[in-house]
């Protein structure tokens, strides 16, 4: 069992529909809110200092650590090498506490730790075993934890990664902005990108006056999926530069909202990770395609990549490539 930052797990999991998330991670998580940096300490456990433990830590994508328990029946937590989950916090004992599963229920037992185990603020007696509920706040010495079920973990992600809706702009408006910059360097600084151009239909189905789109995704035939975008389209340009996770779909919670019948509620996601960008299919009924190949899971993309969302064409561009595209594209409806 390995720790990772909450942000690292969010990049893999937060964009998924909740049903997919729970199918992939059906067991509990343990979130350490205030981990101590550096290597795991050896030697004597540091004495508990009530002053250092004052104040409640809040979950952070960058600093909080999370570990997934999996289907095992016992998880030992401590600083010792024999523990399933090792914490680097100096006030945790070598073998501090044990999480045990009884069917669908979990319980926590203190292992006679030096600084104690606290369950929602109450110190457990040595060797006491107590049932656990999801969402319970734990303290092991000065280290603060949350015991989370899959639903709790998913809701936490949604709260922490809230990203505002990205409003589309025409290519013509971006061209005007680019021309107003004094130099290419200023342009790159002001518009670091990347960008997603969606070749959106301009007909009735894109007209709000046409009424609400059905909640059921229209299944496209193979012939329809194979067609390129209708030539009567407008380039809707979305600037992804200020975002790390961008969900695309018909649902109102998405950052790129495409209220089109052939688009799923949660269709795909563009994710910034490890210095690059990836596209991930979210179980879309009509599929997500990169250069014509149907996507399974996620794939790294480079500037210029063609990404089909069902039968809607989009192109992923760096700033420099968008400048070139804008200078040479015949703008339709822009």
């Amino acid at each position: 069992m390995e720790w990772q930052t909450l942000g690292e797990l969010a990049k893999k999991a937060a964009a998924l529909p909740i049903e997919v998330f729970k199918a992939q991670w059906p067991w509990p998580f343990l979130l350490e809110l205030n981990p101590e940096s550096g290597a795991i300490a050896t030697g004597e456990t540091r004495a508990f200092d009530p002053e250092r433990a004052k104040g409640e830590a809040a979950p952070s994508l960058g600093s909080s650590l999370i570990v997934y328990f999996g289907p095992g029946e016992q998880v030992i937590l401590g600083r010792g090498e024999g523990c399933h989950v090792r914490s680097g916090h100096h006030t945790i004992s070598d073998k501090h506490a044990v999480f045990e599963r009884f069917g669908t229920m979990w319980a926590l037992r203190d292992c006679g730790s030096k600084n104690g185990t606290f369950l929602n603020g109450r110190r457990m007696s040595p060797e006491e075993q107590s049932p656990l509920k999801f969402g319970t706040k734990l303290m092991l010495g000065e280290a603060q934890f949350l015991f989370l079920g899959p639903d709790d973990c998913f809701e936490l992600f949604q709260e922490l990664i809230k990203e505002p809706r990205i409003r589309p702009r025409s290519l013509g408006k971006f061209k005007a902005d680019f021309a107003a910059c004094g130099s290419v360097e200023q342009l790159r600084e002001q518009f670091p990108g990347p960008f997603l151009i969606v070749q959106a239909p301009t007909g009735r189905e894109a007209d709000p006056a046409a009424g609400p789109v059905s909640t059921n995704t229209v299944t496209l035939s193979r012939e329809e999926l194979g067609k390129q975008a209708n030539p009567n389209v407008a380039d809707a340009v979305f600037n992804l530069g200020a975002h790390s996770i961008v969900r695309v779909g018909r649902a109102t919670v998405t950052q790129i909202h495409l209220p089109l019948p052939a688009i799923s509620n949660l269709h795909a996601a563009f994710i910034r990770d490890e210095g690059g960008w990836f596209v991930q299919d979210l179980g879309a009924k009509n599929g997500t395609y990169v250069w014509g190949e149907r996507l399974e899971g996620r794939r790294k993309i480079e500037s210029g990549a063609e990404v089909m969302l069902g039968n809607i064409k989009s192109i992923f561009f760096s700033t420099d490539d968008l400048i070139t595209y804008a200078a040479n594209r015949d703008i339709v409806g822009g």
Side-chain angles (χ1 to χ4, degrees):
M1 296 179 185
E2 298 293 333
W3 294 101
Q4 58 187 316
T5 68
L6 192 57
E8 287 169 338
L9 182 59
K11 288 174 181 176
K12 302 172 189 173
L16 298 173
I18 187 169
E19 297 80 10
V20 177
F21 177 87
K22 290 170 69 174
Q24 192 164 343
W25 288 279
W27 301 99
F29 295 84
L30 187 67
L31 178 67
E32 186 169 5
L33 297 169
N34 61 336
E36 289 191 339
S37 59
I40 294 176
T42 57
E44 188 175 353
T45 303
R46 191 181 71 208
F48 180 92
D49 182 353
E51 290 300 315
R52 288 173 58 93
K54 282 184 177 179
E56 292 202 4
S60 164
L61 289 172
S63 60
S64 296
L65 297 178
I66 193 165
V67 65
Y68 176 59
F69 276 9
E73 296 186 354
Q74 186 182 80
V75 178
I76 302 171
L77 188 148
R79 288 188 295 123
E81 292 185 1
C83 296
H84 300 111
V85 176
R86 298 181 69 193
S87 172
H89 213 288
H90 293 54
T91 60
I92 287 180
S93 296
D94 286 346
K95 183 179 178 182
H96 196 110
V98 177
F99 296 82
E100 293 180 282
R101 181 168 65 87
F102 301 92
T104 59
M105 301 294 294
W106 285 81
L108 179 65
R109 175 168 54 88
D110 180 79
C111 297
S113 60
K114 178 176 180 177
N115 289 313
T117 300
F118 297 78
L119 230 162
N120 284 330
R122 179 187 68 84
R123 182 164 184 164
M124 299 174 65
S125 303
E127 300 300 331
E128 175 189 349
Q129 189 173 62
S130 180
L132 275 178
K133 294 181 179 179
F134 293 139
T136 297
K137 173 75 177 290
L138 309 172
M139 282 190 65
L140 281 64
E142 297 167 15
Q144 300 180 34
F145 298 87
L146 286 175
F147 181 67
L148 302 174
D151 287 290
D152 304 303
C153 192
F154 186 83
E155 288 176 10
L156 179 61
F157 284 150
Q158 304 316 303
E159 184 65 29
L160 293 177
I161 66 159
K162 276 184 178 176
E163 301 252 13
R165 176 77 57 80
I166 306 175
R167 301 296 175 186
R169 301 181 72 218
S170 71
L171 197 56
K173 289 180 179 177
F174 271 107
K175 284 184 71 172
D177 288 341
F178 293 166
C181 291
S183 65
V184 173
E185 289 71 23
Q186 287 178 327
L187 192 156
R188 290 172 181 155
E189 184 178 347
Q190 188 171 344
F191 300 97
F195 300 84
L196 187 72
I197 289 183
V198 178
Q199 296 190 343
T202 58
R204 177 174 171 77
E205 67 177 358
D207 181 2
V213 177
S214 168
T215 56
N216 295 317
T217 303
V218 175
T219 303
L220 296 174
S221 66
R222 181 175 297 181
E223 180 184 3
E224 286 296 320
L225 280 172
K227 288 181 180 178
Q228 290 295 310
N230 189 310
N232 183 29
V233 298
D235 281 333
V237 186
F238 298 87
N239 188 349
L240 313 187
H243 301 261
S244 295
I245 297 177
V246 176
R247 289 177 286 191
V248 183
R250 207 174 60 232
T252 56
V253 296
T254 52
Q255 286 69 54
I256 294 181
H257 185 223
L258 300 179
L260 303 170
I263 298 291
S264 295
N265 283 326
L266 290 177
H267 198 106
F270 291 83
I271 300 166
R272 187 201 307 265
D273 196 7
E274 299 173 355
W277 280 84
F278 295 75
V279 61
Q280 180 169 339
D281 181 80
L282 299 181
K285 181 177 284 190
N286 292 311
T288 304
Y289 299 79
V290 180
W291 292 121
E293 181 181 346
R294 185 156 188 165
L295 186 61
E296 299 292 340
R298 71 162 60 182
R299 173 174 167 177
K300 190 168 186 178
I301 52 173
E302 305 295 341
S303 180
E306 178 186 285
V307 180
M308 295 291 293
L309 306 165
N311 65 339
I312 303 299
K313 180 179 177 180
S314 68
I315 312 172
F316 180 82
F317 275 135
S318 67
T319 300
D320 286 358
D321 287 342
L322 181 66
I323 295 169
T324 302
Y325 181 86
N328 293 280
R329 175 77 157 100
D330 290 328
I331 302 168
V332 180

